[in-house]
Amino acid sequence: MSEDDELPEYAERVLEVAERIPPGRVMTYGDVAEWLGEGGPRQVGRVMALYGGAVPWWRVVRADGVLLPGSELRALAHYREEGTPLREAGRAAEGHVPRLAMARARWDGRDPESVTPHT
């Protein structure tokens, strides 16, 4: 994307939410869509795939806690650096890559520092 290209409004809003997720916490694609009151998990995933490289993309995740395929090790480095809760993988897990501990890592967007959702 060049500097002259304008970011679609929905994409801008998704990226703003991603930037507000605190270190060590995550939101699912569906959480972001619900927080915005618009779109759904697939739309949020598409925005993150196309435009998410400039924001903390590793904080917008799948609901099952599986790390982003193809970016597992990069994401894992960020999670470990930020202290994001993880569930260690068992020996049977492919590649022994941990998952996110969603019950502890998930952020609801209601922390005092968060802004009110767009309506």
Side-chain angles (χ1 to χ4, degrees):
M1 207 171 137
S2 74
E3 288 184 27
D4 296 332
D5 292 336
E6 190 172 319
L7 196 63
E9 181 190 351
Y10 183 72
E12 239 178 76
R13 293 174 65 210
V14 167
L15 298 178
E16 286 173 8
V17 174
E19 288 177 326
R20 287 182 169 88
I21 301 169
R25 305 299 297 274
V26 298
M27 288 179 94
T28 68
Y29 298 112
D31 291 341
V32 172
E34 184 178 327
W35 197 82
L36 289 171
E38 183 180 354
R42 290 179 189 264
Q43 289 83 1
V44 171
R46 181 82 174 139
V47 167
M48 293 305 295
L50 293 174
Y51 310 109
V55 299
W57 54 266
W58 58 92
R59 296 182 192 152
V60 181
V61 302
R62 291 172 39 157
D64 62 5
V66 172
L67 306 191
L68 184 65
S71 298
E72 298 95 332
L73 297 180
R74 286 181 35 219
L76 189 56
H78 288 292
Y79 298 139
R80 288 188 169 144
E81 181 180 323
E82 294 181 356
T84 307
L86 298 168
R87 287 182 24 217
E88 289 304 319
R91 290 179 178 237
E94 187 176 326
H96 305 289
V97 177
R99 286 182 177 211
L100 291 159
M102 292 302 292
R104 294 182 292 137
R106 205 168 194 170
W107 185 60
D108 64 7
R110 289 189 274 169
D111 289 357
E113 295 86 23
S114 70
V115 298
T116 55
H118 300 277
T119 52

